[in-house]
């Protein structure tokens, strides 16, 4: 390796390491701020908090790494241009591409490491992180209920306005949503003036004693046309006791791992396998719904023909062939069939859309592992030429450019993913949208830096106006 390559690589690595550590620390503080509600008031020891942060750190790398490469590239090449080192290189016949050669090799190696990290370390850390968050509430169930927000405890979502008592077991302003057994939301709501949590290390039952409250329960009528009335049962109570079985929760510790079904926890091979299964399942559901709908219509048609046989050709008003009672019965059956079919279609449509959204999430997770590789290249080939053009190092102007470019990249990336998740854009385009839109910028900057063209050619902008002014105000000879 030549002296120039060593010098450039050493300069870039020093800047990159410093920037990466600083940005990583900033994003860690942001993570602490986002999850402070889960950490505060849970009576967790220092080791558990360190584990919580350690499991959340790898997910930050895809954000910090491209930004660090971008800022380091701008600062490194900006310093070289500002100190006329680039001028010395060019006078010696060394072009910008030649100066970037050793760093390009480093970026290639860094991209490979980033892919391996994204494909192996991040899924494992996400697996540990989500399970750890789940199990924090299982260490001490009495402390699993936080003030002012719904807390998931067993089959209940519990919210309290205030907690008092030595162990926080006296509750004020209790609202409870009981989860439905069929998975269609909450159909039971309990509100109480106050309550008390009673638990024991020897017992697997968490007892919640409620005082002075109301009990609401939705009822699903058997007739579909009555469901729009949304009937419910309401009752009041002076004292109501809820026993929550925590036998499964108390048998696990914070190292237990039971959640393993999210798309962020899977590697490329696992995502491919999962996507294949999800697509087959969706296709089978569509075929099954189509066949069931056709069968339902045929059965309804056969029933009608059996009850109301038509011997002659159809008149203009087909109902005139029947008596008033038969007409009412026909209209009743038709209305019921249409309502049932519409309800079935709406329900199936919602289910199929949710399954497609789940497939889109898995596809986005699959593409993200490759987007980070390209993002490293993209940020380098934006930052290095930009630094050579603006000829400014340090932490002033480079930070401004880096933040503007990265915010643009991150905003477009988040926007594309959100649109793709809602099935309004293909997941491939949603994941790669930011890279596609910013790639021309990297090409333009590299071209302008290679040919010693400034960031903005003022003459090109002013030339049309100068021509117009010359036509309006010709020079007087």
């Amino acid at each position: 390796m030549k002296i120039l390559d060593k010098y450039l690589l050493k300069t870039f690595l020093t800047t990159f390491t410093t920037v990466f550590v600083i940005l990583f620390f900033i994003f860690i503080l942001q993570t602490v701020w986002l999850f402070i509600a889960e950490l505060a008031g849970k009576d967790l020891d220092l080791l558990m908090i360190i584990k919580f942060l350690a499991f959340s750190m790898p997910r930050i790398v895809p954000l910090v790494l491209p930004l660090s490469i971008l800022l380091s590239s701008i600062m490194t090449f900006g310093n070289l241009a500002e100190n006329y080192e680039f001028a010395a290189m060019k006078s010696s016949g060394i072009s910008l591409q030649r100066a970037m050669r050793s760093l390009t090799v480093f970026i290639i190696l860094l991209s490979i490491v980033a892919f391996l990290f994204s494909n192996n370390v991040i899924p494992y850390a996400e697996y540990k992180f989500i399970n750890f968050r789940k199990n924090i509430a299982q260490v001490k169930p009495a402390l699993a209920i936080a003030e002012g927000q719904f807390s998931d405890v067993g089959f209940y979502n519990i919210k309290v306005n205030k907690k008092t008592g030595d162990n926080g077991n006296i509750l004020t302003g209790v609202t409870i949503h009981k989860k439905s057994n069929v998975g269609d939301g909450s159909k039971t709501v309990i509100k109480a003036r106050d309550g008390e949590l009673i638990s024991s290390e020897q017992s697997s039952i968490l007892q919640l004693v409620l005082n002075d409250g109301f009990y609401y329960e939705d009822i699903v009528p058997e007739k579909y046309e009555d469901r729009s009335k949304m009937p419910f049962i309401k009752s009041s109570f002076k004292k109501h006791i809820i026993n929550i079985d925590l036998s499964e929760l108390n048998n696990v510790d914070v190292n237990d791992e039971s959640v393993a079904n999210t798309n962020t926890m899977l590697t490329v091979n696992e995502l491919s396998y999962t996507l294949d299964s999800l697509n087959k399942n969706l296709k089978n559901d569509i075929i099954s719904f189509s066949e069931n709908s056709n069968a339902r219509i045929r059965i309804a048609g056969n029933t009608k023909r059996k009850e109301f046989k038509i011997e002659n050709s159809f008149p203009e008003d087909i109902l005139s062939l029947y008596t008033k009672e038969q007409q009412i019965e026909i209209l009743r059956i038709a209305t019921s069939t249409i309502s049932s079919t519409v309800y079935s279609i709406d329900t199936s449509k919602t289910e199929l859309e949710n399954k497609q959204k789940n497939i889109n999430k898995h596809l986005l997770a699959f593409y993200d592992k490759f987007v980070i590789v390209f993002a490293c290249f993209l940020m380098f080939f934006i930052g290095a030429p930009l630094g050579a053009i603006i000829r400014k190092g340090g932490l002033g102007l480079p930070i401004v450019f880096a933040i503007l470019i990265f915010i643009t990249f991150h905003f477009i990336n988040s926007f594309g993913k959100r649109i793709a998740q809602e099935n309004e854009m293909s997941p491939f385009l949603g994941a790669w949208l930011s890279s596609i839109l910013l790639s021309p910028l990297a090409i333009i900057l590299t071209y302008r830096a290679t040919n010693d063209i400034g960031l903005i050619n003022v003459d090109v902008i002013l030339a049309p106006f100068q021509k117009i002014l010359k036509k309006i105000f010709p020079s007087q000879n």
Side-chain angles (χ1 to χ4, degrees):
M1 184 182 291
K2 294 185 178 180
I3 297 176
L4 175 63
D5 294 328
K6 292 181 179 179
Y7 174 71
L8 291 175
L9 189 59
K10 179 182 177 181
T11 305
F12 181 83
L13 283 175
T14 303
T15 307
F16 173 78
T17 304
T18 304
V19 170
F20 184 85
V21 171
I22 294 173
L23 292 177
F24 196 81
F25 178 74
I26 293 173
F27 278 85
I28 283 294
L29 292 180
Q30 182 195 29
T31 301
V32 173
W33 178 258
L34 288 175
F35 295 104
I36 190 67
E38 297 188 28
L39 299 176
K42 299 292 186 179
D43 196 26
L44 304 177
D45 55 33
L46 180 61
L47 179 60
M48 294 175 66
I49 295 177
I50 292 175
K51 280 186 176 181
F52 185 92
L53 295 177
F55 295 149
S56 65
M57 285 180 183
R59 61 163 58 186
I60 301 174
V61 173
L63 286 174
V64 176
L65 185 60
L67 180 57
S68 300
I69 293 175
L70 175 63
L71 185 55
S72 302
S73 302
I74 297 176
M75 292 175 62
T76 300
F77 285 83
N79 278 324
L80 293 174
E82 187 178 16
N83 297 326
Y84 299 101
E85 291 177 276
F86 262 136
M89 294 180 193
K90 290 178 181 178
S91 64
S92 303
I94 301 174
S95 63
L96 177 64
Q97 289 88 344
R98 173 62 186 85
M100 294 170 59
R101 184 185 300 173
S102 59
L103 295 181
T104 303
V105 174
F106 171 74
I107 295 298
I108 292 174
L109 297 176
L110 186 62
S111 300
I112 295 173
V113 173
F115 173 78
L116 296 175
F117 187 87
S118 177
N119 190 49
N120 297 286
V121 179
I122 292 180
Y124 176 77
E126 192 73 10
Y127 171 75
K128 301 286 288 187
F129 178 72
I130 293 178
N131 279 282
F132 189 81
R133 285 178 61 192
K134 174 179 176 287
N135 293 329
I136 281 179
Q138 301 174 3
V139 180
K140 296 183 178 180
L143 297 176
I145 301 175
E147 291 184 359
Q149 65 184 34
F150 280 99
S151 302
D152 191 0
V153 182
F155 291 99
Y156 300 89
N157 283 318
I158 304 174
K159 177 184 176 182
V160 298
N161 295 333
K162 189 176 181 181
K163 293 172 60 177
T164 55
D166 296 336
N167 298 318
N169 60 324
I170 305 300
L171 313 178
T172 304
V174 183
T175 302
I176 300 175
H177 289 184
K178 184 178 179 181
K179 300 175 186 178
S180 174
N181 294 329
V182 295
D184 57 349
S186 173
K187 294 187 180 299
T188 304
V189 179
I190 304 172
K191 298 180 70 70
R193 178 176 55 84
D194 55 50
E196 182 182 2
L197 281 171
I198 302 175
S199 61
S200 172
E201 294 182 1
Q202 289 76 29
S203 174
S204 62
I205 300 297
L206 176 64
Q207 193 173 71
L208 177 56
V209 181
L210 303 175
N211 302 313
D212 296 330
F214 295 89
Y215 186 99
Y216 307 86
E217 184 175 2
D218 292 336
I219 299 176
V220 181
E222 294 182 1
K223 295 184 179 180
Y224 174 75
E225 53 269 19
D226 293 336
R227 295 181 183 179
S228 59
K229 299 178 183 179
M230 303 180 68
F232 66 93
I233 296 175
K234 176 183 176 181
S235 62
S236 61
F237 58 84
K238 287 293 183 181
K239 185 176 182 180
H240 181 66
I241 299 176
I242 298 177
N243 293 320
I244 304 174
D245 187 5
L246 299 177
S247 56
E248 295 183 0
L249 304 184
N250 289 334
N251 286 334
V252 296
D253 57 15
V254 294
N255 295 317
D256 181 55
E257 300 160 354
S258 57
V259 179
N261 57 351
T262 67
N263 52 323
T264 55
M265 298 179 185
L266 305 178
T267 63
V268 169
N269 293 333
E270 291 169 342
L271 283 169
S272 299
Y273 178 81
T274 304
L275 282 167
D276 184 61
S277 301
L278 291 174
N279 282 312
K280 287 181 179 178
N281 183 265
L282 178 62
K283 184 177 179 181
N284 291 334
D285 286 346
I286 294 174
I287 295 174
S288 176
F289 172 73
S290 176
E291 292 176 349
N292 291 337
S293 298
N294 292 333
R296 190 186 305 114
I297 293 173
R298 285 197 298 270
I299 291 172
N302 292 333
T303 303
K304 293 175 185 176
R305 286 194 293 272
K306 183 178 180 180
E307 294 179 355
F308 309 105
K309 186 176 180 181
I310 300 174
E311 298 178 354
N312 302 320
S313 59
F314 292 107
E316 210 170 293
D317 184 9
I318 191 172
L319 289 176
S320 62
L321 298 174
Y322 303 95
T323 64
K324 284 289 185 183
E325 290 77 10
Q326 289 175 328
Q327 290 179 12
I328 293 173
E329 183 66 13
I330 291 173
L331 292 175
R332 185 191 66 79
I333 294 175
T335 302
S336 177
T337 302
I338 292 173
S339 299
S340 176
T341 303
V342 169
Y343 177 75
S344 176
I345 291 174
D346 290 340
T347 303
S348 299
K349 180 182 177 183
T350 302
E351 292 178 357
L352 294 176
E353 286 178 349
N354 290 334
K355 289 187 177 183
Q356 183 60 55
K357 289 178 181 179
N358 188 34
I359 291 175
N360 291 343
K361 290 179 181 179
H362 283 77
L363 283 171
L364 289 171
F366 179 84
Y367 294 132
D368 274 345
K369 300 184 185 303
F370 299 94
V371 169
I372 187 176
V373 176
F374 185 77
C376 295
F377 281 98
L378 183 63
M379 293 300 134
F380 176 71
F381 282 99
I382 289 177
L386 184 59
I389 291 173
I390 64 177
R391 299 178 182 179
K392 290 289 182 181
L395 296 174
L397 193 60
I399 288 184
V400 175
F401 278 102
I403 290 176
L404 289 176
I405 294 171
F406 183 75
I407 288 177
T408 303
F409 177 84
H410 186 63
F411 174 79
I412 297 174
N413 190 41
S414 300
F415 175 77
K417 287 181 180 179
R418 179 65 61 182
I419 295 296
Q421 285 179 4
E422 298 300 323
N423 206 29
E424 297 178 7
M425 179 188 293
S426 69
F428 177 83
L429 185 59
W432 288 92
L433 185 62
S434 56
S435 300
I436 293 172
L437 293 180
L438 288 183
S439 292
L441 177 62
I443 296 171
I444 292 171
L445 290 175
T446 303
Y447 172 80
R448 298 181 76 88
T450 302
N451 294 277
D452 291 326
I453 304 174
L455 186 62
I456 299 176
N457 193 339
V458 180
D459 293 336
V460 173
I461 299 175
L462 296 180
F465 296 99
Q466 291 175 351
K467 291 180 180 180
I468 295 173
L469 291 174
K470 285 181 180 180
K471 291 180 180 179
I472 299 175
F473 305 104
S475 59
Q476 299 294 330
N477 294 327

